[in-house]
Amino acid sequence: MGYPPQYGQPPRGETRRGLVVMVVMAVGVAIGAVVTVFMVFNPPSSPPSTAAPTRGGERSEHSEASVRQAVQPALDAYSSGLYGDFWDLWTTEAQGLIAREEYVRLFEICPPILPNSPLTIAGVTITGDIARVQATRLDDSTDFDFVFEGGTWRYEPSPEERLTYQAPVDQIAEQRRAMGFCGVVVPTSAPGAPTPTPSITPSVPTAPSAPAVPSNPAAPSNPTDPTTQPPGFL
């Protein structure tokens, strides 16, 4: 025989527990609403983007287009006779081989045979931080090395060129002159200075001298031939 159902108010303890549950639920709903509103009006910032990769995953600074863009000004500076500006584009270590003013003076006492002869990039080969650039001038082609340093590509002299700069500038110029690698030196004078007038001395008849014996100089027979110029940025 079962007990009859009990009616009336529940015990006081159960009432308190019910109230606590409802309060906890209300607090949870309120916290959720606050978090939702905060996320809507304050979305999380995206992580900083890295340099956009180019073809094959390489960095854009190491693409062929970037090498061409950085190297062409160096070629233009050299071919146009701005040797100081060209020296500024060398690697830091290479600039210790020869001082800037001495490098400029070298071309003053031994100018190139074909000045103002543009160099054009024909090909680029990139291996890590080293770029081999093939440049052409007239019918001549020469390879130059550039190194990625300080966020840009800088000229790196060849081992032969490094060996050359171990000698004094006057000695280098004398050696090149003997090989026929120097052009005509144009004398410079101070601004406003009068042009010197050569003195005229009356000629005195003298006895005829013996005919000169043709010499056999070591310099090339055709100094204007571009193939007789020293290779590289010498």
Side-chain angles (χ1 to χ4, degrees):
M1 181 175 181
Y3 296 96
Q6 297 182 357
Y7 298 98
Q9 295 181 352
R12 181 174 300 177
E14 293 181 2
T15 302
R16 291 180 178 177
R17 283 196 296 271
L19 292 175
V20 170
V21 171
M22 288 188 293
V23 171
V24 171
M25 291 178 63
V27 171
V29 172
I31 293 176
V34 172
V35 171
T36 300
V37 172
F38 180 81
M39 293 295 292
V40 170
F41 290 98
N42 296 275
S45 59
S46 58
S49 59
T50 58
T54 57
R55 185 177 50 187
E58 61 182 356
R59 290 176 294 174
S60 59
E61 297 89 350
H62 286 60
S63 65
E64 180 177 344
S66 296
V67 173
R68 287 176 174 269
Q69 184 178 3
V71 169
Q72 191 62 57
L75 301 180
D76 293 341
Y78 178 83
S79 60
S80 61
L82 301 176
Y83 302 111
D85 293 345
F86 172 63
W87 184 93
D88 293 337
L89 301 177
W90 288 19
T91 62
T92 303
E93 188 273 336
Q95 289 176 343
L97 297 172
I98 182 172
R100 188 181 193 271
E101 56 273 14
E102 284 295 279
Y103 185 74
V104 173
R105 189 171 74 87
L106 174 60
F107 289 93
E108 292 175 350
I109 59 180
C110 179
I113 298 176
L114 297 176
N116 300 322
S117 181
L119 285 157
T120 304
I121 299 176
V124 176
T125 303
I126 306 171
T127 306
D129 286 340
I130 299 177
R132 174 66 58 87
V133 177
Q134 182 186 30
T136 59
R137 175 168 51 184
L138 299 179
D139 295 330
D140 189 23
S141 176
T142 309
D143 291 339
F144 306 102
D145 287 337
F146 286 80
V147 175
F148 190 75
E149 177 185 277
T152 188
W153 292 94
R154 293 182 169 273
Y155 175 64
E156 177 69 12
S158 64
E160 294 79 11
E161 191 175 354
R162 287 174 171 272
L163 184 62
T164 299
Y165 295 139
Q166 293 181 7
V169 165
D170 294 285
Q171 181 179 341
I172 298 173
E174 185 62 28
Q175 292 175 348
R176 294 182 182 178
R177 190 175 297 109
M179 298 174 65
F181 290 156
C182 292
V184 179
V185 179
V186 179
T188 57
S189 58
T195 303
T197 303
S199 58
I200 301 176
T201 304
S203 60
V204 179
T206 58
S209 57
V213 179
S215 60
N216 185 19
S221 58
N222 184 10
T224 60
D225 184 356
T227 60
T228 62
Q229 295 198 75
F233 292 129
L234 300 181

